[in-house]
Amino acid sequence: HRQNRGAGSECQTTVEGADKVPRVLKEILLLMLMWFFIALFYYGLNFGWGKILPDRYLGYLMAGVGETVASLLTIPLIHRVGRRRAMMIWHIGAALAFLVAIPEVELGNGWTLESVCSIIAVTCVGGCFSGIYLWTGEVAPT
């Protein structure tokens, strides 16, 4: 299998050796599964802002702010706790936000617990997307 020299002295195995190195094949399959589920979460949230929030345009604005915050926090989070833990933090945050959003609780002015949790969830899903994007570039560099 082909080894690609990274920034340090360690060797990183790339996609070209996936058929010979089970670890790389496992990472590729895991990434494919994660891309699928993140796409479902992301599009499920983005197509529902008109029903989730009292104002559709405010929903898209808040989602954009959340995704920007997530994109800016992902690299420092990965640097501080590592890629695996950072991805776990983002995924657990999204899962908790989805679970907390289940009860129908009015917060006032048309806002519900579901709408607030959806904004938190889209931030976490944006972090997941950023982390998976970086991880894919490590496994399959161009």
Side-chain angles (χ1 to χ4, degrees):
H1 66 277
R2 181 177 159 197
Q3 301 263 338
N4 184 16
R5 294 277 176 196
S9 61
E10 73 237 10
C11 294
Q12 296 176 348
T13 308
T14 62
V15 155
E16 295 167 353
D19 57 339
K20 296 179 179 81
V21 181
R23 182 186 60 81
V24 177
L25 182 60
K26 182 177 132 185
E27 277 192 53
I28 291 170
L29 293 174
L30 182 63
L31 279 170
M32 289 170 54
L33 187 67
M34 289 171 69
W35 273 113
F36 177 73
F37 285 115
I38 291 302
L40 289 178
F41 290 149
Y42 186 80
Y43 289 114
L45 283 169
N46 279 329
F47 288 135
W49 287 124
K51 297 175 185 167
I52 295 172
L53 294 176
D55 182 11
R56 175 181 304 181
Y57 301 108
L58 179 64
Y60 282 113
L61 176 69
M62 297 297 285
V65 169
E67 289 177 32
T68 302
V69 167
S71 295
L72 294 174
L73 288 178
T74 298
I75 292 175
L77 185 64
I78 288 172
H79 181 69
R80 180 171 288 275
V81 300
R83 182 184 64 227
R84 183 175 294 167
R85 285 192 180 125
M87 294 302 295
M88 287 171 46
I89 289 168
W90 287 125
H91 280 91
I92 290 170
L96 288 175
F98 285 128
L99 288 174
V100 171
I102 292 173
E104 293 188 25
V105 178
E106 287 288 329
L107 300 176
N109 293 334
W111 287 85
T112 62
L113 183 61
E114 178 186 21
S115 56
V116 172
C117 288
S118 295
I119 293 170
I120 294 168
V122 80
T123 302
C124 293
V125 169
C128 292
F129 180 86
S130 298
I132 292 172
Y133 187 83
L134 292 172
W135 189 3
T136 302
E138 292 174 8
V139 173
T142 56

